[in-house]
Amino acid sequence: MVRLYERHRVRETEELDGIWRFSMVGTDKVYEMAVPGCWEQHPDFPGYRGKGIYSREIYSKRRGNIRLVFMGVSHTADVYFDGVKVIHHYNAYTPFSTVVKNVTAGVHQIRVEVDNTFGEHSALHIPNDYYTYGGITRPVSMETVSDVYIEHVHFTPSISAGVWNARIEASVVNLSAERQTVEVRCTLAGYVMSERAEIHGGGRAFVVFERDFDCVKPWSPKNPELYLLETVVCLNGVALDDLIERIGFRTVEIRGSEVYLNHERVYFLGFNRHEDYGGVGCAIPLQLMTHDMDLLQDMGANAVRTCHYPNDERFLDLCDERGILVWEENHARGLTLENMQNPNFEQQCGDCIREMIENHYNHPAIVIWGILNECASETKEGRRMYQKQYEQIRSMDGTRPVTSATCRHFTDICLDLPDIVSFNMYSGWYQDCSIEERNQQELEWIRQSGGDGKPVIVSEVGAGAIYGYRDRSRCKWSEERQADLIRDSLDVYMNDKNITGIFIWQFADCRVTEEGGWFASRAKCHNNKGILDEYRRPKMAYDVVKEMFETARDRLV
Ligand code: ADA
């Protein structure tokens, strides 16, 4: 399943999830590998960092254009169709697609060469405090598209004088050499909008509708009202293609030092959640995503930060359905200036941002775009790159605030750039200091360093504990100590009127990269700051968070 709702009623689609053939590059042995999946789950490849080849056959019922859609391949894919390379893609966390034109009826072969190696070719997937798995880790599908098909439909809601308005932009592609004149028709909440479009051969047209929508209900955490926006392209009255987007009427804005959703103040009671689950790696199936969502909501969370990369759209669909607010961010964690000066860095970041926003734009749950977690924001060169990425996001989407989680305490020179200032704080864990005093120092520094008057979020707060390790001394790494630190930290941050939200680090333990030096000092080669372990077994802190979030909801949300 690629998404949690039906995206097409005209376009023929086929999901390609299942068993593909797999071979490690340089060997002849052929395995059966599940797609989606991580090759690390196979007993022969528990820690394999290298290249692998997936292949399978597909059947085309008739001559036509085949569109292959990959929701995520970790971390680089070279896709071949009948032996011809049709697309290259870097980054495990963003979807990509390609159209193979004029495919004959019958059997064809898809081959995907996957690479999860580190090196200069990979500026974002580097040894890190999370794990870069290998494989076709998210769903794959195949579509038959007409010569004229719908590439994207973006929905931008707004409200004025109590009346909802929306701008709908459809991007329609013409694969044929001839100019085509088509009708583009959108249906939403009982309203029908239609426009003729002329598209040059090999070109694309953007068709825009803008209108009021009376009597629609807003999307909100309490009432996540969703609507289907159906777009159809017709030629001489015959439907050629369609695309169904699921949208919500909501606005998010900054007012002074607060974040507002539909003109109501928002407070984030959130978790940082890596896409990593014991036994399946980053290829989390829907039933386990749903389990995570159930646990998040059981603890009283109203928000998730997709640390540190764009997430699987099925999880974003779940957030839309459950009214869970999302801070989604581009792929980057803890990159030094040297890392950011990798010749591939700016292009790979730019591609990730573009693909994240192009594909995730319509999720009403996404209310913040983030970039560059704990990267070199204390340097002038780094600032140039932060500024460039904020500008890119704002050029693609001016409706959502932007932020970046910093750990460059007292040295960050980029706090004037984002709409929201966010900082990661581990007082009592990494620094043996008073949480309250350190918080006041941080807030004063933020005020003096370009963040004055802006909303402030504590984007990470947490402590480590080994699941099952209980100790009455409440010593470090015991569940008791983690529970104490979580309680003390939330007590400070949730009672500080200068702070408009917190995201606990982290929801569940996750695997880290042994090649990363100090990360290997982490027990089990995992980041053990989860409130649950990697198998979602709750630690003592679970009930502390549940009690404190539930109390806070009445007061803050
Ligand atoms: C940083 C980083 C997280 C994680 C955390 C930790 O704040 O953003 O990815 O590494 O520290 O556990 O130390």
Side-chain angles (χ1 to χ4, degrees):
M1 172 187 277
V2 175
R3 297 290 299 276
L4 298 196
Y5 69 95
E6 187 185 22
R7 300 256 296 159
H8 301 283
R9 292 184 184 131
V10 175
R11 187 184 302 179
E12 286 181 40
T13 64
E14 179 184 343
E15 306 217 342
L16 299 184
D17 295 355
I19 300 301
W20 292 43
R21 291 183 302 279
F22 175 81
S23 292
M24 189 163 66
V25 167
T27 67
D28 297 328
K29 184 172 182 183
V30 178
Y31 295 81
E32 291 197 335
M33 203 70 87
V35 169
C38 307
W39 61 51
E40 287 84 358
Q41 270 45 65
H42 190 286
D44 287 6
F45 305 108
Y48 177 55
R49 190 159 300 289
K51 297 182 181 181
I53 298 173
Y54 288 80
S55 62
R56 62 161 287 168
E57 278 67 43
I58 56 105
Y59 180 76
S60 178
K61 295 173 195 155
R62 73 184 80 82
R63 178 182 288 275
N65 307 311
I66 298 281
R67 182 169 182 259
L68 299 174
V69 183
F70 293 85
M71 299 306 280
V73 177
S74 187
H75 63 58
T76 295
D78 285 305
V79 181
Y80 297 80
F81 190 87
D82 289 344
V84 176
K85 188 167 175 179
V86 290
I87 193 168
H88 168 87
H89 184 268
Y90 171 80
N91 209 323
Y93 306 116
T94 46
F96 60 98
S97 64
T98 185
V99 175
V100 184
K101 291 168 59 175
N102 208 19
V103 172
T104 57
V107 176
H108 299 272
Q109 195 207 47
I110 301 175
R111 189 173 92 247
V112 185
E113 295 184 1
V114 179
D115 176 3
N116 77 338
T117 58
F118 296 138
E120 188 178 270
H121 60 285
S122 174
L124 307 178
H125 287 281
I126 65 173
N128 221 318
D129 203 19
Y130 61 96
Y131 197 83
T132 289
Y133 289 93
I136 302 179
T137 50
R138 292 183 185 170
V140 185
S141 61
M142 173 180 96
E143 303 171 343
T144 304
V145 293
S146 67
D147 278 351
V148 179
Y149 77 96
I150 303 162
E151 189 178 41
H152 287 299
V153 175
H154 284 161
F155 171 82
T156 307
S158 59
I159 189 166
S160 173
V163 177
W164 284 102
N165 182 288
R167 181 180 190 275
I168 298 166
E169 179 182 273
S171 157
V172 184
V173 171
N174 176 7
L175 294 171
S176 74
E178 300 73 38
R179 186 174 62 187
Q180 303 278 354
T181 301
V182 293
E183 179 203 3
V184 178
R185 189 172 65 241
C186 283
T187 307
L188 171 61
Y191 293 91
V192 181
M193 299 146 275
S194 178
E195 188 71 63
R196 276 163 54 87
E198 269 198 15
I199 317 173
H200 294 297
R204 67 169 46 79
F206 293 95
V207 175
V208 176
F209 302 106
E210 196 147 5
R211 63 157 301 133
D212 289 348
F213 291 85
D214 301 325
C215 313
V216 291
K217 295 176 186 169
W219 184 94
S220 71
K222 292 186 178 77
N223 296 293
E225 198 72 38
L226 293 169
Y227 292 85
L228 295 180
L229 166 54
E230 304 187 54
T231 303
V232 181
V233 169
C234 299
L235 181 64
N236 304 325
V238 175
L240 296 178
D241 189 41
D242 73 334
L243 175 60
I244 301 170
E245 287 291 333
R246 195 169 65 175
I247 56 94
F249 286 88
R250 68 102 186 88
T251 60
V252 55
E253 56 188 327
I254 304 290
R255 288 186 195 168
S257 61
E258 306 284 359
V259 179
Y260 280 73
L261 187 100
N262 299 340
H263 304 323
E264 285 188 27
R265 192 180 68 83
V266 170
Y267 188 93
F268 298 95
L269 296 172
F271 277 98
N272 286 277
R273 174 181 175 270
H274 266 297
E275 289 185 332
D276 194 331
Y277 205 116
V280 294
C282 68
I284 302 178
L286 178 61
Q287 62 267 38
L288 294 181
M289 281 184 202
T290 309
H291 184 43
D292 278 0
M293 181 61 76
D294 292 339
L295 291 166
L296 283 161
Q297 291 189 293
D298 180 58
M299 282 189 274
N302 70 351
V304 169
R305 176 182 175 217
T306 69
C307 60
H308 298 290
Y309 37 74
N311 267 202
D312 187 309
E313 278 210 78
R314 293 169 296 170
F315 187 74
L316 299 175
D317 282 341
L318 273 177
C319 293
D320 290 341
E321 293 174 358
R322 303 277 189 104
I324 293 291
L325 302 171
V326 176
W327 158 342
E328 186 165 57
E329 62 186 27
N330 74 342
H331 178 203
R333 180 215 167 272
L335 302 177
T336 62
L337 181 58
E338 185 186 2
N339 296 138
M340 295 174 79
Q341 289 169 332
N342 176 314
N344 297 300
F345 173 79
E346 294 194 58
Q347 181 67 48
Q348 290 177 346
C349 275
D351 290 344
C352 181
I353 288 171
R354 176 175 46 77
E355 292 165 346
M356 173 175 75
I357 296 177
E358 273 181 358
N359 290 283
H360 296 174
Y361 185 88
N362 292 332
H363 288 282
I366 298 176
V367 294
I368 294 174
W369 295 120
I371 61 170
L372 299 178
N373 174 77
E374 295 196 348
C375 296
S377 54
E378 80 283 13
T379 68
K380 284 187 178 174
E381 173 67 358
R383 177 183 168 90
R384 178 188 65 76
M385 293 187 252
Y386 272 76
Q387 190 152 15
K388 179 178 172 185
Q389 293 189 26
Y390 284 133
E391 286 168 0
Q392 181 187 0
I393 290 178
R394 288 176 170 134
S395 70
M396 295 185 73
D397 179 4
T399 69
R400 293 173 170 101
V402 295
T403 189
S404 174
T406 185
C407 70
R408 297 323 196 247
H409 306 295
F410 310 120
T411 60
D412 198 305
I413 58 171
C414 296
L415 301 188
D416 58 314
L417 300 175
D419 301 306
I420 298 170
V421 172
S422 304
F423 61 99
N424 298 338
M425 194 62 86
Y426 289 92
S427 303
W429 181 258
Y430 286 129
Q431 301 90 20
D432 184 11
C433 62
S434 153
I435 299 170
E436 175 55 34
E437 285 175 18
R438 186 67 188 74
N439 180 45
Q440 294 313 318
Q441 290 166 1
E442 189 81 6
L443 292 170
E444 182 53 29
W445 164 68
I446 287 169
R447 278 189 283 271
Q448 304 295 332
S449 311
D452 192 21
K454 294 184 178 181
V456 175
I457 288 177
V458 181
S459 33
E460 292 180 25
V461 52
I466 302 299
Y467 174 77
Y469 174 43
R470 303 288 299 278
D471 193 308
R472 288 179 56 78
S473 73
R474 312 186 84 82
C475 62
K476 207 161 185 177
W477 294 109
S478 67
E479 288 192 28
E480 289 86 346
R481 172 65 70 84
Q482 182 191 46
D484 293 346
L485 269 173
I486 289 289
R487 179 182 299 283
D488 296 345
S489 301
L490 295 191
D491 196 35
V492 167
Y493 298 127
M494 293 199 305
N495 286 298
D496 187 317
K497 62 177 176 35
N498 299 295
I499 292 170
T500 195
I502 56 104
F503 289 82
I504 291 174
W505 185 274
Q506 63 172 326
F507 173 71
D509 295 349
C510 70
R511 186 174 177 183
V512 303
T513 318
E514 186 168 353
E515 305 98 303
W518 77 273
F519 304 126
S521 67
R522 295 190 182 295
K524 311 182 325 184
C525 255
H526 272 66
N527 181 304
N528 298 291
K529 297 189 182 73
I531 301 302
L532 303 103
D533 79 349
E534 63 272 31
Y535 297 102
R536 276 49 178 179
R537 297 177 297 185
K539 303 173 188 174
M540 283 177 71
Y542 183 101
D543 290 321
V544 171
V545 173
K546 183 175 171 69
E547 170 210 329
M548 297 187 80
F549 272 10
E550 282 177 351
T551 308
R553 280 181 87 91
D554 303 336
R555 174 167 58 88
L556 294 169
V557 175

